[in-house]
Amino acid sequence: QSALTQPPSVSGSPGQSVTISCTGTSSDVGSYNRVSWYQQPPGTAPKLMIYEVSNRPSGVPDRFSGSKSGNTASLTISGLQAEDEADYYCSSYTSSTTLVFGGGTKLTVL
Amino acid sequence: EVQLLESGGGLVQPGGSLRLSCAASGFTFSSYAMSWVRQAPGKGLEWVSGISGSGGSTYYADSVKGRFTISRDNSKNTLYVQMNSLRAEDTAVYYCAKDWFPRLLTLTLDYWGQGTLVTVSS
């Protein structure tokens, strides 16, 4: 199972919006709504930010939103804040009953 | 409060074995599928294995199939992974993680432990 494709890095200034893409195949992202996004600041464990494409767990700010079209999912962070600087990973359930992650995207808040 | 505490990591020689444990608390352990996810130094996340709440169904990444065995003891609220025939490329921080929905393997992981480091080197 190949990793999902994410851009290595994105950046934005405070208050701006950024979008991180996550491209898979018809065997994962394209066939299932079990797409999640995780935030991982340096030296910490990942934190679930979005589940089932567009749902936010309790406590996650509504500045974080998710969507999907075909084989590509996206995470949008609006109103960027310094605390959003972290690595972000997408994941998807697959047709083999496994989980595949994206390669990760480093978000820099300028 | 959900807590997951991994242990058992350390230095092991190539070809060796190691068993990791993950002690869970703060939720009904037997109702939730669990997973192991690893992260090599400076690299991204890689799902390793998952297990149903009852322990009756197990799933593996191709990279560890036949070498790693996931299991759980619901009476002790503990998740395990037995790692055999270890290779240098197995060097990573290993996280245990809880599935977010009860009684289903969704592989949406809502709580993670802090991880334990496994180093495979001679």
Side-chain angles (χ1 to χ4, degrees):
Chain A
Q1 184 74 47
S2 298
L4 307 176
T5 301
Q6 297 181 232
S9 64
V10 297
S11 63
S13 300
Q16 289 187 331
S17 295
V18 295
T19 296
I20 301 171
S21 61
C22 169
T23 301
T25 70
S26 58
S27 296
D28 39 66
V29 175
S31 290
Y32 301 96
N33 285 330
R34 291 179 181 171
V35 174
S36 301
W37 290 90
Y38 299 89
Q39 177 193 64
Q40 187 181 34
T44 69
K47 174 187 176 183
L48 179 66
M49 303 299 284
I50 296 287
Y51 67 96
E52 291 186 344
V53 176
S54 59
N55 296 288
R56 285 185 309 277
S58 174
V60 173
D62 60 6
R63 302 184 294 104
F64 291 82
S65 62
S67 62
K68 189 184 86 166
S69 177
N71 295 341
T72 299
S74 299
L75 172 71
T76 298
I77 309 171
S78 58
L80 267 179
Q81 299 182 3
E83 67 204 49
D84 299 333
E85 190 160 288
D87 293 329
Y88 290 83
Y89 295 90
C90 62
S91 73
S92 176
Y93 185 95
T94 81
S95 58
S96 303
T97 317
T98 61
L99 183 66
V100 61
F101 284 97
T105 298
K106 181 177 180 61
L107 169 63
T108 301
V109 180
L110 301 171
Chain B
E1 178 192 5
V2 172
Q3 291 193 342
L4 300 170
L5 183 61
E6 302 92 340
S7 61
L11 176 64
V12 61
Q13 292 188 340
S17 298
L18 208 56
R19 188 178 83 156
L20 306 183
S21 301
C22 171
S25 61
F27 64 102
T28 304
F29 183 68
S30 60
S31 292
Y32 291 86
M34 299 289 293
S35 284
W36 288 100
V37 177
R38 69 184 180 183
Q39 187 169 33
K43 302 297 184 181
L45 301 173
E46 180 188 14
W47 179 82
V48 171
S49 183
I51 186 168
S52 62
S54 68
S57 297
T58 58
Y59 309 88
Y60 298 94
D62 288 343
S63 58
V64 306
K65 200 173 294 182
R67 300 188 299 122
F68 288 16
T69 302
I70 191 172
S71 63
R72 62 192 297 160
D73 185 336
N74 287 342
S75 69
K76 295 182 179 179
N77 288 355
T78 302
L79 175 72
Y80 305 99
V81 62
Q82 176 68 42
M83 305 185 296
N84 298 330
S85 303
L86 283 162
R87 307 165 180 167
E89 53 264 37
D90 296 317
T91 294
V93 173
Y94 285 74
Y95 296 99
C96 69
K98 169 187 166 291
D99 211 286
W100 83 280
F101 200 83
R103 293 179 293 280
L104 278 182
L105 182 84
T106 69
L107 297 178
T108 296
L109 307 174
D110 63 346
Y111 286 93
W112 298 59
Q114 285 307 301
T116 186
L117 176 63
V118 172
T119 302
V120 184
S121 175
S122 55

